[in-house]
Amino acid sequence: MMENNRPSIKNEDQYEALRDKGYSKEKAARIANTPDSGKKGGTASGYEDRTKKELYDKAKEVGIEGRSKMDKKELIRALREN
């Protein structure tokens, strides 16, 4: 039987996915071994819950062009695709 020389990985699926995306072994292992690895979501409110002005300000912050002519749905789409 072949011996595995790599350290223990807490989230093997995430580790393999990161390696497939081109992450180094070390970086993939660090990410896959974080306590909340594989979990999604943070504490920020969803874009749908924000006002158009808040979305506009966020779009300005990240440098989305044409934001002044966008409606709320377009701002949300642009922010998600950025």
Side-chain angles (χ1 to χ4, degrees):
M1 188 167 129
M2 201 168 153
E3 187 176 321
N4 186 351
N5 289 333
R6 93 174 166 209
S8 176
I9 304 294
K10 291 180 183 177
N11 188 332
E12 282 287 337
D13 292 335
Q14 185 180 35
Y15 174 82
E16 292 301 328
L18 292 168
R19 290 290 294 139
D20 290 344
K21 288 182 180 179
Y23 284 73
S24 70
K25 290 178 183 179
E26 293 81 13
K27 187 167 185 172
R30 279 197 310 273
I31 294 169
N33 283 336
T34 58
D36 60 350
S37 74
K39 293 181 184 173
K40 289 187 176 183
T43 58
S45 63
Y47 287 139
E48 288 79 11
D49 297 334
R50 298 181 189 185
T51 66
K52 182 179 175 188
K53 178 166 179 6
E54 289 171 323
L55 295 169
Y56 175 86
D57 290 343
K58 182 66 176 174
K60 184 177 180 182
E61 180 184 321
V62 297
I64 294 174
E65 295 186 22
R67 63 189 172 269
S68 63
K69 296 178 181 163
M70 294 181 185
D71 63 22
K72 185 173 178 175
K73 284 185 178 182
E74 291 170 321
L75 285 166
I76 290 170
R77 187 177 322 115
L79 286 164
R80 286 191 173 136
E81 292 174 357
N82 187 32

